[in-house]
Amino acid sequence: MTRQASDQRFAASRLLDGYLVVSAQAGDRRAADLLARRYHRRLVAHAWRLTGDEELAKDVVQSSWIDIARGLPRLKDEAAFPAWAYQIVSRRCARSIRALQGDRALSGALRDDPGGGPTEPPEIATPRLQAAIRSLPPHQRAALALFYVDDLSVAEVAIALDAPAGTIKTRLMHARRALRAVLEGDHHD
C-alpha cells in the first residue's frame, strides 16, 4: 500500500469515527455499538500493554466503556474521541495497577508481559523484535503502540497517557533507541 493510499485510508477511518461519535451523541445505539466494536480490541491491547495482564486489561476496558458511554454526550470535539477513550483506559489501568501493587506489596512488582498478547502489530515479524517490545517499560510500550500502531499524533498520545507532549517524545525516543539496538544486533549475529 502506498503512503498516499494509507493516508487516505486513515483519513476515511477518522471521518467514520467522527460520524459515529456524533451519531452516538444524538442517541443512535447502532452507531455507539459500531464505535465500540471499532475500538474495543485496540483499547484492550492498550490496557494490556499498560497492565501486562490480559484478563485485567479486559476488565479495565469493560468498566471503561461505562465511563466512555456516560461521558460521550459531553465530548465537544468528535475528532478527540480516540485520545479521550485511551485516556479513560489509561487512568483506569493506573488505578487498577495501584490497587494491585497495594495488594502485592509483600510479593513484589507486577509480573512481566505474557508472550503474544492480544494484539501484536502484524508488521512485527521477528520474534526478537517482539521480545524487545515486550521488554520495554509499560509507559514506553504504550507510547510506541499508540503512535505507530494506532496512528495517534504525539499530542493525542499525550492526552491518552495523561503526560506532557515532551515526555511522550522522550518515551518514543528511548523506545526507538532500545529497538534500534535490537535490530542492529540482528545484523551482527
Side-chain angles (χ1 to χ4, degrees):
M1 178 182 298
T2 67
R3 179 70 180 162
Q4 182 180 9
S6 176
D7 289 347
Q8 288 173 344
R9 196 173 122 231
F10 175 73
S13 179
R14 283 288 177 111
L15 283 173
L16 176 58
D17 289 345
Y19 171 78
L20 292 173
V21 168
V22 170
S23 296
Q25 287 174 322
D28 184 342
R29 286 185 65 81
R30 288 179 54 203
D33 290 345
L34 183 55
L35 190 63
R37 280 198 304 272
R38 286 177 56 82
Y39 275 88
H40 186 76
R41 185 178 169 119
R42 290 185 250 181
L43 293 175
V44 169
H46 175 64
W48 172 78
R49 287 187 294 264
L50 292 173
T51 64
D53 182 304
E54 188 173 353
E55 289 307 311
L56 177 59
K58 289 176 182 177
D59 291 344
V60 164
V61 170
Q62 193 64 38
S63 60
S64 294
W65 278 114
I66 295 168
D67 294 341
I68 292 168
R70 285 182 184 151
L72 193 59
R74 293 184 303 277
L75 184 64
K76 303 233 185 291
D77 179 7
E78 67 274 2
F81 177 81
W84 175 74
Y86 282 115
Q87 181 183 52
I88 290 171
V89 171
S90 296
R91 287 180 176 166
R92 280 207 170 257
C93 285
R95 283 192 299 252
S96 294
I97 289 169
R98 280 193 301 273
L100 282 175
Q101 286 173 332
D103 293 344
R104 297 178 181 177
L106 298 176
S107 65
L110 295 172
R111 60 193 165 116
D112 292 335
D113 290 341
T119 57
E120 286 292 332
E123 299 82 16
I124 299 173
T126 68
R128 189 171 180 179
L129 183 56
Q130 288 176 353
I133 289 171
R134 283 191 303 271
S135 73
L136 291 172
H139 61 276
Q140 287 179 14
R141 192 172 52 243
L144 192 73
L146 289 173
F147 186 75
Y148 288 107
V149 177
D150 294 319
D151 290 322
L152 296 184
S153 68
V154 169
E156 290 172 320
V157 173
I159 292 168
L161 297 179
D162 202 18
T167 300
I168 298 305
K169 289 177 183 179
T170 300
R171 289 176 185 176
L172 289 169
M173 177 191 69
H174 288 296
R176 284 190 294 258
R177 188 176 292 153
L179 297 178
R180 188 177 305 115
V182 168
L183 291 175
E184 288 173 355
D186 281 345
H187 296 293
H188 296 89
D189 287 347

